[in-house]
Structure formats: C-alpha cells, structure tokens
Amino acid sequence: MKLFLASFLHAQLGDFLGQKVAYIDDAAARLRNAPFARAEREAVAKLCSEAIDVTVATTPVNAIRETLEHVDSVYVASGSTFDLLFALRSTGAEAVLKALVKEGLPYAGSSAGAIVAGPSIEPATIMDDPTTAPGLSDYRGLELTEHVVVPHAQGTTGPYTISVIARTVEEYGMRWPLVLLRDEQALVVDDSGAHLV
C-alpha cells in the first residue's frame, strides 16, 4: 500500500502521482469556486498528463471502479472532511476505493483527503463542521493507516488557528495517534512504514 497524505499539496507530490490521476473532488463540492479548490485542482493537473475529475456523489459506483482501475493513482482533494466521507460511504465508493488502494493503487490525500485515510475523522470535528453531512453517523475513516492526520498544524491557514489545533490535540491526542502536519509536510505510508517528508 502506498499513501501520500499531505496538509495541502507538497513539493514531492508529482513524484508520487504518476501520469494518469483520478481527482476525487467531493470534499470541495460546496466550495468549487473557492481559491484554494481551484488552485489545488490546477496544481494537480500540472503534475500529471491527465487528471480525471471524479465527483463520487454523482457518479455511479461502477463508473468509479472503472476509472480507478485505469489510473496510476487517486488524489482525494481538500475541503469538508464530513462531506467527503459521507459521499464515499453513501454511494458505496468507500469499499471500492479501499479495496483498490489495498491492492496497490497509490492514494494521495490533501487535508480532508488525508484525514479520511485514517481510522477516524472524529478529531476533525473541531476543524470542520460535522453538520454539513447530517446523514453521517459513523466517523470511522477508510482505515488505510493507523494515523490520524491533523492538517494545517502551523495554525496560520484560514480558520485553522493555533487554538483550533491545540484544542484538537487536547481533546483527541490521547484517543488517536495524531500526526500534526504543517502545510509543507506530508506523511508517506508504504511497505517500509510511515515517515514524514
């Protein structure tokens, strides 16, 4: 299994992605025109030869499987962690994505995309608004890694102040193996283990 979990983009992301990338954009569905969402999509498109947009909430699960079976990697974008997990779970795409990643499809996630890869998104309740996905009652993540990423840990990115980061650590640090990432950092998980880049 190969995971590249970033706070927001990363200088080494292009080395991980490959040429053909499935770009899952559900976390930013409500924010498609937000500057960060446009910048992230444009940056990923420049790092590969083909970026295929996949909106899980509106794409049949068989089409998602077909796309993911014919790409070099999947990139799961930033935005609302709760919207993202709800889209994956409610459509059945969660099982497809997990199975293919466990079979070797490289998974890159940024912010929300990095958080959902872990065992639980519960620590994100302080950073994101869980009420955006009222149908999501189970906060179990994709369980691709034992680590729970806390992105934007430098405390200077938008609403993710140092006090928000500190509250997240205080409330959830004893319950979950948190990995705090600044925006220029990523957690790489592969056969050799987990390490920061």
Side-chain angles (χ1 to χ4, degrees), residues 96-120:
V96 170
L97 179 59
K98 281 176 68 169
L100 290 172
V101 171
K102 288 182 178 183
E103 289 171 13
L105 177 67
Y107 177 108
S110 178
S111 192
I115 295 169
V116 299
S120 175

Side-chain angles (χ1 to χ4, degrees), residues 52-133:
I52 302 165
D53 292 318
V54 178
T55 303
V56 169
T58 59
T59 305
V61 72
N62 290 340
I64 293 168
R65 180 189 305 278
E66 176 74 15
T67 298
L68 294 180
E69 287 176 343
H70 293 92
V71 294
D72 298 316
S73 64
V74 60
Y75 182 90
V76 185
S78 304
S80 167
T81 307
F82 297 92
D83 285 347
L84 172 59
L85 187 58
F86 180 74
L88 290 168
R89 187 158 294 147
S90 65
T91 61
E94 174 186 27
V96 170
L97 179 59
K98 281 176 68 169
L100 290 172
V101 171
K102 288 182 178 183
E103 289 171 13
L105 177 67
Y107 177 108
S110 178
S111 192
I115 295 169
V116 299
S120 175
I121 67 166
E122 185 182 7
T125 57
I126 294 173
M127 300 181 77
D128 282 348
D129 181 4
T131 65
T132 63

Side-chain angles (χ1 to χ4, degrees), residues 24-49:
I24 295 179
D25 61 5
D26 289 83
R30 300 170 197 265
L31 310 163
R32 284 208 206 297
N33 293 320
F36 85 88
R38 287 195 316 267
E40 183 176 18
R41 175 61 176 83
E42 289 167 9
V44 170
K46 288 178 183 175
L47 295 173
C48 60
S49 61

